[in-house]
Amino acid sequence: MIPIKSTREIALMRNASGIVFRAIKALMGYVKPGLMTKDIDEMMKRLILDNGGRPAFFGYKGFPGNTCISLNNELV
């Protein structure tokens, strides 16, 4: 069964996807070889919080980061 989202839920999802879009766009100009993943994580934390979001990974089952970063060309 597919749950039907309310107008409010859709608005929240739209806002969240806007934050993700702005974050990825900002990363494209920020990330470069030699940059520490900790620096990227802190930059993303500031961007997410400044846009009214909350880093989803932080504290999840004790996870220490704000983002889940892979060193192999991936960002979750």
Side-chain angles (χ1 to χ4, degrees):
M1 176 185 284
I2 299 173
I4 305 298
K5 302 292 183 198
S6 69
T7 303
R8 179 181 172 279
E9 290 171 318
I10 292 170
L12 290 170
M13 292 168 63
R14 184 174 287 123
N15 183 53
S17 65
I19 293 171
V20 171
F21 172 78
R22 289 188 295 278
I24 291 172
K25 191 172 181 181
L27 277 178
M28 291 172 67
Y30 183 75
V31 174
K32 60 184 180 268
L35 191 63
M36 304 285 290
T37 55
K38 177 81 172 149
D39 296 329
I40 296 169
D41 187 72
E42 285 298 319
M43 184 259 199
M44 292 303 297
K45 175 185 175 183
R46 283 192 307 274
L47 194 146
I48 292 167
L49 293 174
D50 289 350
N51 281 277
R54 178 183 55 84
F57 287 105
F58 184 73
Y60 178 73
K61 295 187 177 186
F63 189 74
N66 297 285
T67 55
C68 182
I69 300 172
S70 168
L71 299 178
N72 298 320
N73 300 318
E74 296 176 19
L75 173 69
V76 178

